[in-house]
Coordinates of all heavy atoms in Angstrom, one line a residue:
A139 N 0.8 -1.2 0.0 CA 0.0 0.0 0.0 C 0.9 1.2 0.0 O 2.1 1.2 0.1 CB -0.9 0.0 1.2
L140 N 0.2 2.4 -0.1 CA 0.9 3.7 -0.1 C 0.3 4.6 1.0 O -0.9 4.8 1.0 CB 0.8 4.4 -1.4 CG 1.6 3.7 -2.6 CD1 1.2 4.3 -3.9 CD2 3.1 3.9 -2.4
N141 N 1.2 5.1 1.8 CA 0.7 6.1 2.8 C 0.7 7.5 2.0 O 1.7 7.9 1.4 CB 1.6 6.2 4.0 CG 1.0 7.0 5.1 OD1 0.1 6.6 5.8 ND2 1.5 8.2 5.3
L142 N -0.5 8.2 2.1 CA -0.6 9.5 1.4 C -0.1 10.6 2.3 O -0.8 11.0 3.2 CB -2.1 9.7 1.0 CG -2.7 8.6 0.1 CD1 -4.2 8.9 -0.2 CD2 -1.9 8.5 -1.2
D143 N 1.1 11.0 2.1 CA 1.7 12.0 3.0 C 1.3 13.4 2.7 O 0.8 14.1 3.6 CB 3.3 11.8 2.9 CG 3.7 10.4 3.3 OD1 3.1 9.8 4.2 OD2 4.7 10.0 2.7
H144 N 1.6 13.9 1.5 CA 1.4 15.3 1.2 C 1.0 15.5 -0.3 O 1.4 14.7 -1.1 CB 2.7 16.1 1.4 CG 3.3 16.0 2.8 ND1 2.7 16.5 3.9 CD2 4.4 15.3 3.2 CE1 3.5 16.2 5.0 NE2 4.5 15.5 4.6
F145 N 0.2 16.5 -0.5 CA -0.1 16.9 -1.9 C 0.2 18.4 -2.1 O 0.2 19.2 -1.2 CB -1.6 16.7 -2.1 CG -2.0 15.2 -2.2 CD1 -2.3 14.5 -1.0 CD2 -2.1 14.5 -3.4 CE1 -2.7 13.2 -1.1 CE2 -2.5 13.2 -3.4 CZ -2.8 12.5 -2.3
E146 N 0.4 18.7 -3.4 CA 0.6 20.1 -3.8 C 0.1 20.4 -5.2 O 0.2 19.5 -6.1 CB 2.1 20.4 -3.7 CG 2.4 21.9 -3.8 CD 1.8 22.7 -2.7 OE1 2.1 22.5 -1.5 OE2 0.9 23.6 -3.0
T147 N -0.4 21.6 -5.4 CA -0.8 22.0 -6.7 C -0.1 23.3 -7.1 O 0.1 24.2 -6.3 CB -2.3 22.4 -6.7 OG1 -3.1 21.3 -6.3 CG2 -2.8 22.9 -8.1
V148 N 0.4 23.3 -8.4 CA 1.1 24.5 -8.9 C 0.7 24.7 -10.3 O 0.6 23.8 -11.1 CB 2.7 24.3 -8.9 CG1 3.4 25.4 -9.6 CG2 3.2 24.2 -7.4
I149 N 0.4 26.0 -10.6 CA 0.1 26.4 -12.0 C 1.3 27.1 -12.5 O 1.8 28.1 -11.9 CB -1.1 27.3 -12.1 CG1 -2.4 26.6 -11.6 CG2 -1.3 27.8 -13.5 CD1 -3.6 27.5 -11.6
T150 N 1.9 26.6 -13.6 CA 3.1 27.3 -14.2 C 2.8 28.6 -14.7 O 1.7 28.9 -15.1 CB 3.7 26.4 -15.3 OG1 2.8 26.2 -16.3 CG2 4.1 25.0 -14.7
P151 N 3.8 29.5 -14.8 CA 3.6 30.9 -15.3 C 3.1 31.0 -16.7 O 2.5 31.9 -17.2 CB 4.9 31.6 -15.1 CG 5.6 30.7 -14.1 CD 5.2 29.3 -14.3
V152 N 3.5 29.9 -17.5 CA 3.1 29.9 -18.9 C 2.5 28.5 -19.2 O 2.6 27.6 -18.4 CB 4.4 30.1 -19.8 CG1 5.0 31.5 -19.6 CG2 5.4 29.0 -19.5
G153 N 1.9 28.4 -20.4 CA 1.4 27.2 -20.8 C -0.1 27.0 -20.9 O -0.7 26.0 -21.3
E154 N -0.9 28.1 -20.6 CA -2.3 28.0 -20.6 C -2.9 27.6 -22.0 O -3.8 26.9 -22.1 CB -2.9 29.4 -20.2 CG -4.5 29.4 -20.2 CD -5.0 30.7 -19.8 OE1 -4.2 31.6 -19.3 OE2 -6.3 30.9 -19.9
G155 N -2.2 28.1 -23.1 CA -2.7 27.8 -24.4 C -2.0 26.6 -25.0 O -2.3 26.2 -26.2
D156 N -1.1 25.9 -24.3 CA -0.3 24.8 -24.8 C -0.9 23.4 -24.5 O -0.5 22.4 -25.1 CB 1.1 24.8 -24.3 CG 1.9 26.0 -24.9 OD1 2.3 26.0 -26.1 OD2 2.1 27.0 -24.1
M157 N -1.8 23.4 -23.6 CA -2.5 22.1 -23.3 C -3.9 22.5 -22.9 O -4.2 23.2 -21.9 CB -1.8 21.4 -22.1 CG -2.4 20.0 -21.9 SD -1.7 19.1 -20.5 CE -0.1 18.8 -21.1
A158 N -4.9 22.1 -23.7 CA -6.3 22.5 -23.5 C -7.2 21.4 -24.0 O -6.7 20.5 -24.8 CB -6.6 23.8 -24.1
W159 N -8.5 21.4 -23.7 CA -9.4 20.3 -24.0 C -10.8 20.9 -24.2 O -11.3 21.5 -23.2 CB -9.4 19.3 -22.8 CG -10.0 18.0 -22.9 CD1 -10.7 17.3 -21.9 CD2 -9.9 17.0 -24.0 NE1 -11.1 16.1 -22.3 CE2 -10.6 15.8 -23.6 CE3 -9.3 17.0 -25.2 CZ2 -10.7 14.7 -24.4 CZ3 -9.4 15.9 -26.0 CH2 -10.1 14.7 -25.6
K160 N -11.3 20.9 -25.4 CA -12.6 21.6 -25.7 C -13.5 20.6 -26.4 O -13.1 19.7 -27.0 CB -12.3 22.8 -26.6 CG -11.4 23.9 -26.0 CD -11.1 25.0 -27.0 CE -10.2 26.1 -26.4 NZ -10.0 27.2 -27.3
I161 N -14.8 21.0 -26.3 CA -15.9 20.2 -26.9 C -16.2 20.7 -28.3 O -16.5 21.9 -28.4 CB -17.1 20.1 -26.0 CG1 -16.8 19.5 -24.7 CG2 -18.2 19.3 -26.7 CD1 -18.0 19.6 -23.7
G162 N -16.0 19.9 -29.3 CA -16.3 20.3 -30.7 C -17.5 19.5 -31.2 O -18.1 18.7 -30.5
D163 N -17.9 19.8 -32.4 CA -19.0 19.1 -33.0 C -18.7 17.7 -33.4 O -19.6 16.9 -33.5 CB -19.4 19.9 -34.3 CG -20.0 21.3 -34.0 OD1 -20.5 21.5 -32.9 OD2 -19.9 22.1 -34.9
E164 N -17.5 17.4 -33.5 CA -17.1 16.0 -33.9 C -16.1 15.4 -32.8 O -15.0 15.0 -33.0 CB -16.4 16.0 -35.2 CG -17.3 16.4 -36.4 CD -16.6 16.5 -37.7 OE1 -15.4 16.8 -37.7 OE2 -17.2 16.3 -38.7
G165 N -16.6 15.5 -31.6 CA -15.9 15.0 -30.4 C -15.2 16.1 -29.7 O -15.3 17.3 -30.0
F166 N -14.3 15.7 -28.7 CA -13.6 16.6 -27.9 C -12.2 16.9 -28.7 O -11.6 16.0 -29.2 CB -13.3 16.1 -26.5 CG -14.5 15.8 -25.7 CD1 -14.4 15.2 -24.5 CD2 -15.8 16.2 -26.2 CE1 -15.5 14.9 -23.8 CE2 -16.9 15.9 -25.4 CZ -16.8 15.3 -24.2
E167 N -11.8 18.2 -28.6 CA -10.6 18.6 -29.4 C -9.5 18.9 -28.4 O -9.6 19.8 -27.6 CB -11.0 19.8 -30.2 CG -12.1 19.6 -31.2 CD -12.6 20.8 -31.9 OE1 -12.2 21.9 -31.5 OE2 -13.5 20.7 -32.8
M168 N -8.4 18.2 -28.6 CA -7.2 18.4 -27.8 C -6.2 19.3 -28.4 O -5.9 19.3 -29.6 CB -6.5 17.0 -27.5 CG -5.1 17.1 -26.9 SD -5.1 17.8 -25.3 CE -5.7 16.4 -24.3
I169 N -5.8 20.3 -27.5 CA -4.6 21.1 -27.9 C -3.4 20.7 -27.1 O -3.5 20.7 -25.8 CB -4.9 22.6 -27.6 CG1 -6.1 23.1 -28.4 CG2 -3.7 23.5 -27.8 CD1 -6.6 24.5 -28.1

């Protein structure tokens, strides 16, 4: 098993437009 010790979240200063996920007419569209 794994003991869950700590978690952390970080948003990088750049990259908002480099990885995205949108709904299109022909399925979901990955950037």
Side-chain angles (χ1 to χ4, degrees):
L140 291 167
N141 194 72
L142 301 177
D143 300 327
H144 307 287
F145 289 87
E146 191 61 61
T147 301
V148 172
I149 298 176
T150 61
V152 295
E154 181 177 351
D156 292 285
M157 186 183 294
W159 192 223
K160 301 178 181 179
I161 300 175
D163 293 333
E164 296 174 331
F166 300 171
E167 299 171 356
M168 167 63 77
I169 298 173

